[in-house]
Amino acid sequence: MEKIGKWNRFCLECEEIFFMEVIVAKSAGFCFGVKKAVEAVYQQLSSLDHPTIYTYGPLIHNEEVVRDLEEKGVLVLHSEEELENLAEGIVVLRSHGVEKRIYDKLEEKGLTIVDTTCPFVKKIHKIVAENSEKGCQIVVIGNDKHPEVEGIKGWCTTTPVIIENEQQAEDFTAEEGKKVCIVSQTTFHYTKFKDLVEIISKKGYDMIVRNTICNATEERQTEAKQIASKADAMIVIGGKSSSNTQKLYEICKKECENTYYIQTLVDLDFDVLKSMGRVGITAGASTPNNIIEEVHTNVRIKF
């Protein structure tokens, strides 16, 4: 973790000087996959004669970035039906990845593809494709509605089972005679993943378990937990639709009751920080550095 420093503040009531320490997580902000996706789109925009640029789904789970791209002319395809109606242009596949049939459809239509799927996600696609082809029953630990999980399901040749909580793990029954292959959404909570795998393993199935949570996610969650355990208040920055930010919030909230989930500086109530001696800051993988810096700078200025 990175200790940014200590700042004095004077209490008028008790006439004493207090110190506020602000700690910003080193791992806060864009992960490799998101950074690659954002840079790829801005690179396409830098060409003066580029055709219309589309992203299949919002590029990242951050409203500020998506809004900026829209202002620069980047359009979002919200459904497969909208893709069907597209005749030309550049289609950017975001870091979450997409189903195999989307690749096939893009190629059939002759559209230009800019594939920014995270390498960790592509690895999962390969695992489930190969193992489902061999006849394994695929189990994905993750959120069934998350676009990354939607994409993973689309690489299975058999119907996968999605498990997100303990009850679903307890209720799971493998198809008779089938080996079970378990993978995880890359941004899933590591400890929860291990707990769910343990529940399934007690059923005695022949299993292949691949921990496909990306290193950056594990590091981010571990560091956030460490900072929150020592902080009087914790600020978690990220889009409300960001799965990995939501998990950071849950982890920090368990360690620090005064944990606040914000998207930008305008969401932060500075009054709640007045009596805090140590404030921690972390951010999800889709949060731009300028938003993190703005929050950090203003916390210092206010106190």
Side-chain angles (χ1 to χ4, degrees):
M1 68 186 70
E2 181 179 351
K3 292 190 177 182
I4 302 301
K6 295 183 178 181
W7 289 269
N8 297 345
R9 70 180 189 275
F10 185 74
C11 178
L12 294 175
E13 293 181 4
C14 54
E15 297 185 348
E16 292 183 10
I17 295 176
F18 291 89
F19 295 94
M20 172 180 277
E21 182 179 17
V22 181
I23 306 172
V24 181
K26 286 183 178 179
S27 58
F30 282 175
C31 67
F32 166 78
V34 169
K35 186 171 184 288
K36 174 187 172 187
V38 172
E39 288 178 348
V41 176
Y42 281 105
Q43 184 176 2
Q44 291 294 327
L45 285 169
S46 67
S47 174
L48 296 177
D49 58 349
H50 66 78
T52 305
I53 300 170
Y54 302 87
T55 64
Y56 191 73
L59 184 66
I60 64 174
H61 285 153
N62 184 278
E63 291 80 355
E64 301 296 315
V65 174
V66 172
R67 188 179 302 116
D68 182 60
L69 290 173
E70 287 179 345
E71 289 173 357
K72 290 177 169 59
V74 177
L75 304 177
V76 179
L77 297 171
H78 294 284
S79 67
E80 204 168 329
E81 183 180 2
E82 290 184 12
L83 176 59
E84 286 278 10
N85 297 327
L86 201 62
E88 58 183 9
I90 296 172
V91 178
V92 180
L93 302 180
R94 55 189 176 170
S95 58
H96 295 310
V98 296
E99 302 92 321
K100 184 179 183 300
R101 72 173 184 276
I102 300 300
Y103 281 96
D104 296 341
K105 190 161 292 184
L106 288 166
E107 289 175 354
E108 287 171 11
K109 295 177 72 65
L111 297 166
T112 301
I113 304 171
V114 176
D115 187 1
T116 69
T117 304
C118 173
F120 289 102
V121 176
K122 281 201 169 186
K123 179 182 176 182
I124 303 173
H125 292 173
K126 183 178 180 181
I127 292 170
V128 299
E130 290 178 350
N131 283 282
S132 60
E133 193 68 41
K134 292 175 183 177
C136 292
Q137 181 166 12
I138 305 297
V139 173
V140 182
I141 305 292
N143 180 347
D144 194 20
K145 301 302 181 183
H146 193 278
E148 181 188 317
V149 175
E150 290 288 343
I152 293 169
K153 290 191 291 185
W155 287 86
C156 300
T157 57
T158 55
T159 304
V161 175
I162 314 302
I163 293 177
E164 186 177 8
N165 55 52
E166 291 184 2
Q167 188 60 57
Q168 290 172 339
E170 294 283 3
D171 294 342
F172 170 70
T173 302
E175 294 179 34
E176 189 174 349
K178 281 197 172 185
K179 180 180 284 191
V180 177
C181 175
I182 301 177
V183 296
S184 174
Q185 180 181 333
T186 58
T187 57
F188 203 73
H189 188 183
Y190 178 63
T191 301
K192 191 174 178 181
F193 169 76
K194 291 196 298 181
D195 292 342
L196 296 179
V197 169
E198 184 177 355
I199 292 171
I200 298 170
S201 66
K202 288 179 180 178
K203 299 175 184 289
Y205 300 128
D206 184 6
M207 300 197 321
I208 302 169
V209 179
R210 302 293 295 271
N211 173 16
T212 50
I213 298 173
C214 78
N215 295 335
T217 296
E218 288 187 43
E219 291 170 6
R220 192 186 306 269
Q221 292 177 355
T222 299
E223 187 181 20
K225 182 176 181 179
Q226 289 174 346
I227 295 174
S229 67
K230 300 175 183 178
D232 299 308
M234 194 74 189
I235 302 168
V236 181
I237 313 168
K240 292 299 181 184
S241 59
S242 168
S243 173
N244 74 87
T245 307
Q246 179 62 43
K247 289 178 178 65
L248 283 177
Y249 172 75
E250 292 168 2
I251 289 168
C252 292
K253 187 70 173 177
K254 285 184 179 179
E255 301 294 326
C256 177
E257 181 61 30
N258 300 311
T259 295
Y260 306 100
Y261 190 156
I262 67 171
Q263 292 191 84
T264 62
L265 181 65
V266 296
D267 302 319
L268 183 59
D269 180 1
F270 284 97
D271 288 339
V272 300
L273 303 178
K274 282 183 178 178
S275 60
M276 305 299 175
R278 178 179 289 164
V279 176
I281 299 174
T282 190
S286 298
T287 307
N289 285 336
N290 67 296
I291 294 179
I292 300 169
E293 282 300 319
E294 185 179 31
V295 172
H296 168 224
T297 301
N298 277 271
V299 170
R300 286 191 305 166
I301 292 172
K302 293 286 185 181
F303 300 104

